[in-house]
Amino acid sequence: MAGDVRLPNKRIGAWLLLAVALVLPLSGSADEAQAADGLRFSLVKTAQSESSDFLLRRGGWQQPQPVQHVAVLIEHRGSRLLFGTGLGRQIDAQLDAELPWRIKRYGPVRPVRDQLDGDGLKVDRIVLGCVRWEHASGLADFPEVPVLASAQSLSYLKAATPPAVLPSQFRHRVRWQSLQFQARPYLSYAQSLDLYGDGQLVLVPLAGHGAVGLFLTLADGRRFFFRGDRLEHESDGVPGHVVALQDGRQQKALGFYPRWVQ
């Protein structure tokens, strides 16, 4: 059933609740043969934010680690998928439109679109793990690409206000598709969605505002997890054998685009 997703005083376009196909369409790029051989992914770093705030943890007050604004680029079965968008080309204008007084703590921005265009890579789908500003900024750089999100996050999008969600990031027409989770337990999660039907790319709903988590399992059995939103607690309930990609130290160890993990 069709309907309008609206933010306060902002229309962000019509969207349809569509089931996600198990096999995404081919990208049509020169890298299809390599992508079809198996799953691989790359962490695309768009910026880094520093914080002047200190957190109270065991052992006293500590300054948090810098935040890496990362999107996950995934190639599998001849298709190319982007999980999250990081900070995009219009991030300064997007923040100024809603929060002109806010201090910008991020450093130089290298949008995903610029990095991929430089290598001639196109994206078939975007999975938006969270609609908050630091995850959705780059959507405006991919207006032609379908965007998959949970129904709960789309409801949150209509109700939330700045600074959590910035209406300026959704003024363009977004080609929304709603993720349809199934009652199939995956590790500690009661619901899941296996996008390709082979267990290598599995999405799970996260508690809270409709955020989505991503599990990636490579052919050799290595498994990685990336949250669509910010980690709120030290313990995320992820099994010890799973590499948490939200950890900045793990991200640096794996390396950033154009380096691939496969």
Side-chain angles (χ1 to χ4, degrees):
M1 183 174 69
D4 288 337
V5 179
R6 297 176 181 272
L7 294 173
N9 299 321
K10 305 293 181 184
R11 177 175 179 175
I12 66 174
W15 59 280
L16 299 176
L17 292 179
L18 301 176
V20 176
L22 291 180
V23 180
L24 300 179
L26 297 179
S27 64
S29 76
D31 287 344
E32 284 180 4
Q34 185 175 11
D37 289 339
L39 178 106
R40 69 173 186 167
F41 71 90
S42 181
L43 304 178
V44 187
K45 179 180 176 180
T46 61
Q48 176 175 301
S49 287
E50 306 288 344
S51 176
S52 60
D53 300 325
F54 285 76
L55 301 176
L56 182 60
R57 298 183 183 273
R58 294 178 181 178
W61 290 94
Q62 299 178 16
Q63 187 170 16
Q65 293 292 321
V67 174
Q68 311 292 341
H69 297 281
V70 171
V72 185
L73 179 64
I74 305 160
E75 289 185 346
H76 189 43
R77 293 191 177 183
S79 66
R80 191 170 291 117
L81 177 74
L82 192 64
F83 184 78
T85 68
L87 302 189
R89 294 169 173 170
Q90 303 176 38
I91 181 59
D92 287 350
Q94 291 167 350
L95 283 171
D96 288 343
E98 316 292 345
L99 306 165
W101 58 87
R102 182 170 182 142
I103 298 175
K104 300 177 179 64
R105 301 191 184 278
Y106 50 84
V109 177
R110 295 186 63 215
V112 173
R113 186 80 195 230
D114 290 350
Q115 295 187 54
L116 299 190
D117 281 357
D119 292 330
L121 300 184
K122 295 183 179 180
V123 173
D124 301 304
R125 294 287 188 275
I126 294 173
V127 174
L128 190 59
C130 180
V131 297
R132 294 189 177 185
W133 73 270
E134 64 266 46
H135 307 282
S137 173
L139 280 185
D141 301 337
F142 297 90
E144 77 284 7
V145 178
V147 180
L148 286 57
S150 70
Q152 292 79 10
S153 67
L154 292 176
S155 296
Y156 176 78
L157 176 60
K158 292 188 291 184
T161 57
V165 170
L166 301 182
S168 56
Q169 294 181 340
F170 302 93
R171 285 176 178 159
H172 66 291
R173 179 180 179 273
V174 183
R175 299 176 60 189
W176 293 114
Q177 294 181 351
S178 180
L179 293 167
Q180 304 297 318
F181 291 100
Q182 302 167 351
R184 295 181 180 177
Y186 186 84
L187 298 178
S188 61
Y189 297 88
Q191 293 183 310
S192 65
L193 176 60
D194 187 342
L195 278 184
Y196 293 89
D198 58 9
Q200 290 196 264
L201 198 161
V202 178
L203 301 173
V204 294
L206 302 178
H209 47 272
V212 175
L214 165 69
F215 282 95
L216 296 172
T217 303
L218 301 184
D220 61 6
R222 285 177 296 160
R223 185 173 290 169
F224 302 83
F225 178 72
F226 197 92
R227 290 185 62 96
D229 63 350
R230 181 180 300 176
L231 179 63
E232 299 292 345
H233 307 285
E234 291 186 9
S235 176
D236 193 34
V238 177
H241 67 281
V242 178
V243 178
L245 294 179
Q246 208 77 9
D247 189 310
R249 291 166 296 185
Q250 291 284 5
Q251 293 174 354
K252 289 183 179 179
L254 289 173
F256 298 106
Y257 182 82
R259 184 174 180 179
W260 291 88
V261 180
Q262 55 190 335

